[in-house]
Amino acid sequence: SPNVEQRIQQLRDEINHHNYLYYVEDSPEIPDVEYDRLLRELQALEAKHPALVTPDSPTQRVGAEPVKAFGEVKHQIPMLSLDNAFSDDEVAEFDRRVRERLGSERVEYVAEPKLDGLALSMLYEDGRLVQAATRGDGVSGEDVTHNVRTIASVPLRLMGKDYPARLEVRGEVYMPKQGFEALNQRARDKGDKEFVNPRNAAAGSLRQLDPRITAARPLAVYCYGVGLVEGRELASTHSGILEQLQHWGLRVSPEIKRVIGLDQVLVYYEALARRRAELPYEIDGVVYKVNRLDQREVLGFVARAPRWAIAHKFPAQEEMTR
Ligand SMILES: Cc1c[n+]2nc(N)[nH]c2nc1OC(C)C
């Protein structure tokens, strides 16, 4: 009956909204107990009207059956790796080459924390998450859709209406430090093997055949770019695209900043290096990317990595603590 369908749709919209506030904006508006009541009401209505269940319903995050094997996903746009810089001089050299090729005095970059997780590609068609894949070798990766759907900070449906018909979002899936410690504590209590570091724990949690295992692991995603885009033009700068992704309900790191010129780039790096131990997740450096897409076109790529971006790594953790 129409009012059941209306109530189901209303509950879905409300639950998706509260999911977004809690997991993407980290600023819930209602107490957990109220959220649980909404979810239970939707689950009860869907149990009574199974024909009304849709894959993008918030009740459908955890698939019932494990997959037999990981499908292979061919990335229509290769997922590139990054060149590394290990010193300020190497960053200065990167900036000089960029300025020289662009023939411009000062270049605007976007500086982003480089999370120590694993790269992920998520494809949204008509606003629905239809596929998620690991980077693999950059050309093809593993289909981990069933597991990515269980990550609360990943929307099953985009918000608003002005998103492209097909939008591939790229980001990093990671395990926050606190979740990692708790997971290893549980492993110790059960006499299970512990994970060596949050990156391995995230990789191991994502590459499960049974989504119920992944659903029980504390994973999160920060989006940092796009791949395939069809159906409408996006902004002409990387920072503009990241704002659009946030507008559509995708989670983007609040640490991301626009910086102009080498001096501001290095100030950002030093500031983040000082805060590294306090961040709730592990990072292994900072990524600087030329902000204007037209300038990226001019710069292009070398064999395996773009000329328009570079990762500036921190010294390995143990050296820092010595
Ligand atoms: C591999 C990679 C990793 N990360 N991490 C961030 N924050 N941005 C980013 N961009 C990447 O690659 C693009 C520059 C192509």
Side-chain angles (χ1 to χ4, degrees):
S1 61
N3 58 351
V4 167
E5 281 183 62
Q6 274 168 345
R7 181 60 184 150
I8 283 182
Q9 195 49 55
Q10 183 189 35
L11 282 166
R12 283 180 187 160
D13 294 345
E14 227 176 306
I15 289 164
N16 285 337
H17 173 65
H18 290 302
N19 255 342
Y20 169 75
L21 290 175
Y22 188 96
Y23 290 109
V24 177
E25 292 292 339
D26 196 19
S27 52
E29 275 174 4
I30 58 172
D32 295 1
V33 66
E34 168 58 17
Y35 174 82
D36 292 344
R37 193 199 61 70
L38 290 170
L39 195 55
R40 274 201 303 279
E41 185 187 344
L42 178 58
Q43 284 165 333
L45 276 177
E46 288 183 347
K48 269 167 60 183
H49 306 273
L52 297 178
V53 176
T54 56
D56 64 327
S57 170
T59 62
Q60 303 303 304
R61 274 191 179 276
V62 187
E65 292 310 308
V67 295
K68 297 268 178 300
F70 296 109
E72 184 190 27
V73 170
K74 201 156 167 42
H75 301 301
Q76 293 200 37
I77 297 177
M79 290 182 75
L80 297 167
S81 56
L82 281 166
D83 256 352
N84 292 329
F86 292 96
S87 69
D88 290 5
D89 288 351
E90 288 178 25
V91 177
E93 180 51 25
F94 166 75
D95 174 57
R96 190 193 60 71
R97 276 198 315 271
V98 165
R99 283 185 296 108
E100 188 180 51
R101 279 179 178 276
L102 293 177
S104 60
E105 272 306 290
R106 279 152 62 84
V107 171
E108 181 178 67
Y109 296 99
V110 173
E112 313 180 359
K114 188 171 181 305
L115 272 81
D116 203 358
L118 56 158
L120 193 64
S121 159
M122 295 173 287
L123 180 62
Y124 287 86
E125 286 180 352
D126 298 323
R128 288 185 172 78
L129 178 65
V130 295
Q131 180 184 270
T134 61
R135 180 179 172 281
D137 60 7
V139 173
S140 66
E142 290 172 327
D143 185 325
V144 287
T145 311
H146 58 297
N147 291 332
V148 169
R149 290 173 58 84
T150 72
I151 303 175
S153 53
V154 171
L156 296 181
R157 257 194 86 41
L158 296 179
M159 288 164 39
K161 292 182 300 301
D162 54 347
Y163 41 75
R166 292 186 86 207
L167 171 67
E168 182 199 355
V169 181
R170 294 181 171 180
E172 197 87 0
V173 57
Y174 67 94
M175 188 175 291
K177 291 174 184 170
Q178 200 212 341
F180 171 71
E181 297 308 334
L183 178 67
N184 268 352
Q185 184 54 54
R186 277 200 303 281
R188 276 192 292 278
D189 295 347
K190 290 193 301 190
D192 287 350
K193 193 177 63 63
E194 294 180 50
F195 287 99
V196 174
N197 57 43
R199 195 210 162 286
N200 287 13
S205 302
L206 193 69
R207 303 186 58 239
Q208 290 288 334
L209 293 170
D210 184 351
R212 286 166 296 190
I213 296 174
T214 307
R217 299 286 174 82
L219 293 177
V221 169
Y222 268 133
C223 302
Y224 57 61
V226 293
L228 187 73
V229 178
E230 286 175 4
R232 67 155 281 181
E233 287 277 296
L234 295 191
S236 61
T237 60
H238 178 62
S239 51
I241 289 174
L242 293 180
E243 280 161 23
Q244 286 177 306
L245 295 186
Q246 288 180 288
H247 173 70
W248 294 326
L250 291 153
R251 187 163 178 264
V252 173
S253 168
E255 301 291 345
I256 293 180
K257 298 267 181 303
R258 282 185 305 165
V259 290
I260 298 182
L262 177 63
D263 42 348
Q264 288 186 17
V265 153
L266 295 177
V267 163
Y268 179 96
Y269 176 83
E270 290 308 329
L272 199 65
R274 269 192 293 278
R275 296 175 44 225
R276 187 181 184 190
E278 278 74 56
L279 292 176
Y281 41 75
E282 289 199 347
I283 58 174
D284 60 358
V286 174
V287 181
Y288 314 124
K289 304 171 181 177
V290 170
N291 195 21
R292 281 175 41 186
L293 300 191
D294 60 332
Q295 290 186 330
R296 291 189 179 188
E297 287 293 306
V298 170
L299 294 161
F301 304 84
V302 287
R304 61 184 187 83
R307 276 208 189 89
W308 41 260
I310 192 162
H312 182 184
K313 309 296 283 285
F314 294 129
Q317 193 72 35
E318 48 283 1
E319 281 157 35
M320 293 287 268
T321 47
R322 198 172 296 155

